[in-house]
């Protein structure tokens, strides 16, 4: 199985450690991973704003970079949702279909494909509040959203529970959106920041030292809100913890 | 930061309660600016907090009720299918409904739009010499601008729903389709009633306030000349209709005077009485988290010696029925669950939408009435999808919000600056070389990158948030080149493909 690693543009620029942790983690499980050098973005910034035509060339470039891989893995739920469900500005050739059907978010890949049952190298002795990003939860099916009837499950929590020393805390509004929402964060800055502050407060109230998520974009927004008000909470991408980060 | 220190003034007892935020309405022909009104709402922190808490409590109660019903998801599916089926055969069911209603002695009228609805009702009132009307809450009548119309022709309208009466006395539109004054605090109501009804301004006890209103309104109700209701459901098989209220005020409106006029949107049809079992189980649980509304009133014929009229209103509905991506919004049973779960609605208040319908439902309905005026609304969402999950008739609300963005962009309704920025972003992101240059031509990635990485004016990001700091050792791309390609003879030449 040849794996293409997609490191979304803002992770490339701001959170290289998330990309590194993802790559190393996959390699620990003996995956053969390539990083196509000409990759940029999945097209989400444009599509999120309704500008599909403007995303066409970016989408085409994405497909060109990744069509040769059996599986494409990315540490970002919202980008995976864009690729899988909304990469429609380009003509739907067999390559495009292949890419769309075989792009997986990291947690899904570890949980559903590799069926990982242990992270022997990982130890994280902290109280952690897990942030279900809306895209991973409701669009990719990481877990059961609180609105729906049915048996609760959570793939990311199932993985984190295998990390030694970790303590997962419950929050009051478990799957309330944190307010990032892509372009929403700049078109509706006040509502967005208020939602971010409310989210951080919920985690803080319930004793979390860290907020952990599979979406760096939510973490970027929340950490920006926390820094502005001086909230003492820390942020980590799930890949870093699973790869053995201790703090 | 200085802004974090507790403000000593805030800890003192407030001399006067915080004033109720009142977002300005967009002028005729202007775009509603949701973000601006939302900011105004958030600038009244006590109101904003109380709104979020109250509305979230409804969502929590809804979850509890829904989760006690084993077959909840099947019920939603069934409701969705019944509505889909009805809408697919709407013409037939409407004819059937009309024939049966007429056979029961009801007068049936058809209105193509809001103006025609108002005209028809006005004619009926003129014939009967009506001076005062008592009216149960109806979003359709809001849609038609009915109250304003009646105002202009000098017919007095008295709302019988307490929440709607509060809004009427305050000269405001409802901010929630089920709880019209949910954005108000008790202190606002106390002040309003003191001004309008002469009650004690310092007493904001809910029972006292409700009593004061009842005493003031009851005489008006008792000598009204006509009563109006909407309908939650209209049953084709019987020609009857159903109104659900918690105060029994639809029964008052319908039964006190001899003349009853019901305004019914053509999408309210269900085929059979039997179907009501499905919808009644879903409606109140979804809306307020109560097992059933206090009053589920079935109307089928005029009362003895009375007269009953039904006005079936289209007002854009048949046009929406023809919209491939958006027709299923007609399945809506107006429970308000999508508003209660919506984190944006809870933070911004219903009046910030500047439209008849607020919240997620409003984002997908309002643009069908006026695409330009409401072109900002589909962007007042994080697309989190919770609305879709709570919707009892399974409307794919967040997908329609997403769909509207595309339609609006393609029809030239995006602001020019936004369109230009995104077009530029699309060009940079489609070019590996351009993308790398954008990061590298400056020492600080922050200077250039955010324009396309965050899509828009960065000052908006910075209003409530810090920017991420650029990593010390460069991008992931740099790291990969340093650490993984160092032994390779030839390094890939990024940008080759451009
Ligand atoms: S769209 Fe669905 S959830 Fe929202 S008011 Fe209508 S029926 Fe209720």
């Amino acid at each position: 199985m040849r794996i293409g690693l997609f490191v979304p543009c803002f992770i490339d620029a701001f959170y290289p450690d998330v990309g590194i942790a993802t790559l190393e983690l996959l390699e620990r499980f003996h995956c053969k991973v390539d990083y196509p050098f000409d990759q940029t973005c999945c097209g989400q910034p444009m599509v999120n704003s309704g500008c599909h035509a403007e995303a066409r060339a970016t989408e085409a470039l994405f497909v060109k970079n990744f069509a040769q891989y059996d599986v494409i893995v990315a540490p970002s739920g919202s980008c995976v949702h864009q690729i899988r469900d909304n990469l429609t500005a380009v003509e739907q050739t067999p390559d495009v279909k292949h890419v769309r059907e075989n792009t997986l978010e990291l947690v899904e890949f570890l949980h559903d494909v590799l069926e990982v049952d242990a992270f022997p190298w990982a130890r994280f002795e902290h109280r952690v509040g897990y942030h279900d990003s809306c895209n991973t939860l409701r669009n990719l099916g990481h877990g059961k959203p609180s609105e729906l009837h049915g048996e609760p499950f959570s793939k990311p929590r199932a993985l984190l529970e295998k990390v030694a020393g970790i303590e997962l805390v419950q929050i009051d509004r478990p799957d309330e959106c944190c307010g990032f929402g892509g372009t929403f964060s700049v078109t509706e800055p006040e509502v967005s920041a208020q939602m971010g502050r409310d989210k951080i407060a919920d985690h803080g109230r319930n004793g979390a030292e860290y907020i952990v998520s599979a979406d760096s974009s939510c973490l970027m927004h929340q950490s920006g809100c926390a820094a502005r008000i001086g909230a003492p909470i820390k942020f980590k991408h799930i890949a870093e913890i699973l790869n053995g980060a201790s703090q | 930061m200085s802004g974090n220190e507790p403000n000593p003034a805030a800890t003192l007892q407030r001399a006067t309660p915080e004033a109720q935020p009142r977002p300005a309405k967009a002028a005729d022909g202007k775009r509603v600016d949701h973000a601006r009104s939302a900011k105004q709402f958030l600038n009244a922190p006590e109101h904003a907090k109380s709104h979020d808490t109250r509305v979230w409590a409804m969502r929590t109660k809804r979850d509890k009720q829904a989760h006690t019903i084993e077959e909840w998801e099947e019920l939603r599916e069934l409701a969705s299918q019944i509505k889909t089926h009805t809408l697919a055969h709407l013409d037939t069911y409407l004819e059937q409904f009309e024939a049966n209603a007429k056979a029961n002695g009801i007068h049936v009228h058809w209105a193509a739009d809001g103006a025609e609805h108002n005209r028809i009702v006005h004619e009926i009132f003129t014939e009967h010499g009506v001076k005062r009307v008592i009216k149960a809450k109806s979003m359709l009548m809001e849609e038609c601008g009915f109250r304003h119309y009646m105002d202009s022709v000098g017919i007095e309208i008295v709302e019988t729903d307490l929440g709607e009466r509060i809004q009427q006395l305050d000269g405001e539109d409802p901010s929630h389709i089920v709880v019209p004054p949910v954005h108000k605090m008790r202190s606002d109501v106390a002040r309003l009633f003191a001004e309008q009804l002469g009650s004690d301004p310092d007493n904001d006890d809910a029972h006292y306030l409700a009593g004061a209103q009842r005493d003031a309104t009851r005489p008006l109700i008792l000598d009204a000349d006509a009563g109006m209701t909407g309908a939650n459901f209209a049953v084709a098989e019987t020609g009857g209709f159903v109104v659900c209220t918690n105060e029994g005020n639809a029964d008052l409106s319908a039964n006190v005077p001899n003349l009853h006029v019901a305004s019914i949107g053509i999408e309210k049809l269900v085929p059979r009485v039997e179907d009501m079992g499905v919808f009644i189980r879903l409606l109140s649980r979804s809306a307020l988290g109560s097992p059933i509304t206090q009053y589920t009133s079935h109307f089928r014929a005029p009362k003895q010696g009375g007269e009953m009229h039904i006005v079936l209103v289209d007002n854009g509905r048949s046009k929406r029925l023809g919209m491939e991506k958006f027709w299923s919004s007609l399945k809506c049973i107006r429970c308000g669950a999508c508003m209660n779960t919506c984190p944006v609605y809870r933070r911004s208040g219903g009046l910030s939408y500047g439209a008849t319908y607020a919240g997620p439902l409003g984002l997908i309905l309002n643009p069908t009435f006026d695409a330009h005026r409401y072109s900002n609304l589909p962007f007042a969402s994080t697309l989190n999808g919770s609305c879709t999950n709570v919707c009892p008739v399974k409307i794919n609300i967040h997908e329609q919000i997403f769909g509207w963005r595309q339609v609006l962009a393609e029809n030239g309704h995006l602001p020019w600056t936004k369109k230009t920025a995104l077009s530029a972003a699309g060009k940079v992101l489609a070019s590996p070389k351009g993308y790398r240059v954008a990061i590298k031509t400056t020492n600080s990635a922050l200077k250039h990158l955010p324009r396309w990485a965050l899509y828009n004016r960065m000052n908006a990001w910075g209003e409530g948030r810090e920017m991420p700091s650029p990593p010390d050792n460069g991008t992931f791309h740099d790291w990969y080149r340093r650490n993984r390609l160092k032994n390779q003879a030839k390094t890939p030449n990024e940008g080759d493909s451009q």
Side-chain angles (χ1 to χ4, degrees):
Chain A
M1 179 165 57
R2 290 190 65 208
I3 301 175
L5 173 66
F6 172 46
V7 177
C9 52
F10 68 99
I11 294 184
D12 176 33
F14 295 138
Y15 304 106
D17 290 348
V18 173
I20 297 166
T22 305
L23 177 64
E24 288 180 351
L25 186 56
L26 292 171
E27 287 172 346
R28 284 182 195 268
F29 293 109
H30 312 292
C31 296
K32 170 149 178 28
V33 186
D34 278 356
Y35 167 72
F37 233 57
D38 273 352
Q39 60 179 282
T40 61
C41 166
C42 60
Q44 193 185 184
M46 289 73 79
V47 168
N48 188 275
S49 293
C51 297
H52 292 239
E54 287 77 1
R56 190 170 295 132
T58 305
E59 291 184 0
L61 176 66
F62 185 88
V63 173
K64 187 175 163 213
N65 277 316
F66 287 100
Q68 55 177 309
Y69 297 99
D70 300 315
V71 177
I72 299 113
V73 177
S76 166
S78 68
C79 303
V80 170
H81 168 57
Q82 149 70 12
I83 296 156
R84 228 193 258 169
D85 302 315
N86 295 324
L87 198 100
T88 54
V90 274
E91 193 196 332
Q92 302 295 296
T93 61
D95 273 358
V96 175
K97 285 191 188 134
H98 170 80
V99 164
R100 292 184 57 188
E101 282 160 16
N102 293 285
T103 297
L104 289 171
E105 183 280 328
L106 177 67
V107 168
E108 293 177 321
F109 186 71
L110 297 172
H111 187 277
D112 301 349
V113 180
L114 297 184
E115 299 183 27
V116 173
D117 56 13
F119 300 91
W121 49 80
R123 170 167 284 277
F124 199 73
E125 292 178 347
H126 301 284
R127 290 166 65 87
V128 163
Y130 186 76
H131 171 66
D132 283 295
S133 84
C134 302
N135 276 303
T136 55
L137 184 71
R138 300 199 183 83
N139 290 323
L140 303 183
H142 266 196
K144 187 195 81 72
S146 58
E147 310 94 15
L148 292 178
H149 193 64
E151 275 305 306
F153 71 97
S154 168
K155 295 176 188 178
R157 285 181 185 81
L159 296 180
L160 286 171
E161 276 161 8
K162 297 178 174 54
V163 172
I166 204 165
E167 192 188 334
L168 291 172
V169 305
Q170 258 310 328
I171 61 168
D172 301 337
R173 299 182 180 186
D175 45 28
E176 168 105 322
C177 175
C178 72
F180 173 63
T183 48
F184 177 83
S185 63
V186 284
T187 51
E188 294 258 355
E190 281 81 16
V191 176
S192 172
Q194 183 62 47
M195 286 166 69
R197 288 192 293 271
D198 290 349
K199 193 81 212 180
I200 297 158
D202 196 348
H203 281 276
R205 205 167 42 241
N206 288 285
E209 291 167 63
Y210 281 86
I211 298 178
V212 171
S213 177
D215 256 305
S216 290
S217 50
C218 302
L219 295 180
M220 171 170 71
H221 158 71
Q222 291 175 39
S223 60
C225 293
R228 176 61 57 89
I229 57 171
I233 200 148
K234 290 174 273 195
F235 298 86
K236 236 12 181 200
H237 190 280
I238 188 169
E240 297 177 85
I241 293 177
L242 300 180
N243 190 43
S246 62
Q247 53 180 320
Chain B
M1 287 197 57
S2 59
N4 301 326
E5 279 146 27
N7 171 4
T11 59
L12 296 174
Q13 188 68 39
R14 299 184 77 97
T16 45
E18 181 184 86
Q20 186 194 322
R22 293 185 192 271
K25 254 201 155 169
D28 278 351
K30 285 268 155 28
R31 235 187 271 224
V32 170
D33 189 347
H34 179 266
R36 189 161 152 259
S37 301
K39 182 178 183 173
Q40 267 172 281
F41 190 70
L42 286 168
N43 279 341
E46 287 173 26
H47 280 80
K49 181 141 204 317
S50 145
H51 187 260
D52 176 39
T53 307
R54 285 170 73 182
V55 179
W56 178 258
M58 294 196 269
R59 151 81 207 272
T60 312
K61 280 168 75 187
R62 173 252 168 227
D63 287 355
K64 254 199 204 122
Q65 278 297 332
H67 295 342
T68 56
I69 294 195
E70 200 54 49
E71 67 278 20
W72 181 258
E73 301 301 337
E74 287 79 20
L75 267 182
R76 289 177 68 216
E77 182 56 36
L78 194 56
S80 169
Q81 285 175 12
I82 294 169
K83 278 288 182 185
T84 302
H85 165 85
T86 316
L87 290 166
H89 304 92
L90 192 57
D91 47 351
T92 318
Y93 284 121
L94 281 168
E95 279 168 24
Q96 193 187 347
F97 176 78
E98 180 185 34
N100 287 327
K102 280 183 172 160
N104 298 337
I106 304 174
H107 302 270
V108 180
H109 313 259
W110 297 82
D113 55 20
E116 191 172 1
H117 163 269
N118 297 344
R119 214 161 43 234
I120 291 168
V121 179
H122 187 193
E123 267 166 34
I124 300 169
F125 287 169
T126 310
E127 265 170 44
H128 290 76
V130 171
K131 294 265 170 325
R132 180 185 293 141
V133 180
I134 50 174
K135 162 183 170 302
K137 188 170 74 65
S138 149
M139 289 311 288
L140 174 62
M141 288 185 232
E142 288 300 314
E143 217 185 284
C144 297
F146 178 73
R147 228 155 52 181
H148 300 292
Y149 176 91
M150 285 293 140
D151 231 16
S152 71
V153 296
I155 293 177
E156 184 191 0
I157 301 287
V158 179
E159 296 287 346
T160 54
D161 172 276
L162 172 60
E164 195 63 52
R165 178 72 177 154
I166 292 172
Q167 288 311 94
Q168 182 184 23
L169 290 172
D170 206 11
E172 261 188 351
D173 293 337
S175 77
H176 186 287
I177 57 176
V178 177
V179 195
V182 73
H183 59 295
K184 281 185 163 68
M185 296 177 66
R186 279 214 313 261
S187 52
D188 302 323
V189 178
R191 196 165 29 183
L192 171 71
F193 282 7
E195 280 165 21
Q196 298 283 331
L197 311 174
S199 57
D200 176 0
D202 297 322
N203 190 347
D204 67 359
D205 174 71
H207 292 283
Y208 167 75
L209 291 172
Q213 195 282 144
R214 191 165 41 235
D215 292 344
T217 311
R218 185 160 282 167
L220 304 177
I221 293 176
L222 289 176
D223 65 36
D225 310 307
M228 288 197 75
T229 67
N232 292 78
F233 305 96
V235 183
E237 148 185 271
T238 62
F241 56 95
V242 177
V243 189
C244 304
T245 69
N246 278 315
E247 298 166 36
N249 62 299
D251 301 73
L252 266 186
S253 302
N255 289 310
V256 175
N258 271 336
L259 175 63
H260 176 189
V261 182
S263 306
I264 306 180
I266 55 172
E267 87 287 14
K268 294 284 174 187
L269 269 277
V270 296
R272 304 161 303 179
V273 180
E274 202 184 311
D275 302 321
M276 293 312 309
V278 175
F279 291 102
I280 296 297
R281 291 185 78 193
L282 286 167
L283 180 65
S284 190
R285 285 187 172 90
S286 298
L288 298 170
S290 55
I292 197 161
T293 45
Q294 307 294 328
Y295 299 83
T296 300
S297 313
H298 296 246
F299 297 98
R300 212 163 143 175
K303 69 175 189 181
Q304 247 180 358
E307 195 174 309
M308 190 188 273
H309 293 255
I310 285 174
V311 189
L312 288 164
V313 186
D314 185 324
N315 202 30
R317 284 160 175 75
S318 47
K319 184 178 133 221
R320 202 182 304 145
L321 195 54
M323 300 173 106
E324 203 199 326
K325 279 199 211 167
F326 306 120
W327 67 268
S328 72
S329 61
L330 288 164
K331 293 193 292 184
C332 176
I333 58 170
R334 308 282 193 265
C335 70
C338 55
M339 309 166 86
N340 299 345
T341 202
C342 177
V344 179
Y345 172 86
R346 274 188 268 111
R347 300 313 188 294
S348 59
L351 298 176
S352 65
Y353 294 77
T356 304
Y357 300 101
L361 161 73
L363 305 192
I364 60 175
L365 288 194
N366 295 315
T368 68
F369 295 115
D370 186 337
H372 182 73
R373 182 171 175 81
Y374 302 118
S375 57
N376 273 327
L377 293 186
F379 296 91
S381 165
T382 63
L383 300 178
N384 66 76
S386 182
C387 45
T388 299
N389 281 349
V390 295
C391 179
V393 287
K394 286 192 149 182
I395 300 171
N396 57 338
I397 308 174
H398 77 297
E399 289 170 8
Q400 291 193 30
I401 297 171
F402 178 79
W404 269 111
R405 292 184 181 184
Q406 184 176 5
V407 169
L408 293 166
E410 282 168 4
N411 292 312
H413 291 297
L414 285 199
W416 181 81
T417 45
K418 194 170 182 179
K419 187 92 181 167
T420 315
L422 288 163
S423 169
K427 288 202 181 93
V428 174
L429 292 171
S431 147
K433 200 177 254 166
Y435 168 78
R436 287 290 144 210
V437 168
I439 300 180
K440 290 200 170 153
T441 49
T442 163
N443 291 336
S444 162
L446 282 176
K447 275 194 192 147
H448 284 255
L449 192 94
R451 273 196 198 291
W452 47 264
L454 297 168
Y455 339 116
N456 213 314
R457 322 174 301 256
M458 282 319 296
N459 52 355
W461 178 275
E463 264 172 48
R465 284 162 294 217
E466 297 299 313
M467 282 299 297
S469 20
D472 299 335
N473 299 317
T475 63
F476 173 81
H477 196 86
D478 298 334
W479 175 89
Y480 194 87
R481 185 188 279 284
R482 278 198 310 274
N483 293 279
R484 294 303 167 95
L485 296 176
K486 58 187 176 216
N487 298 325
Q488 276 176 249
K490 182 176 175 289
T491 57
N493 184 10
E494 64 266 32
D496 273 358
S497 63
Q498 278 289 305

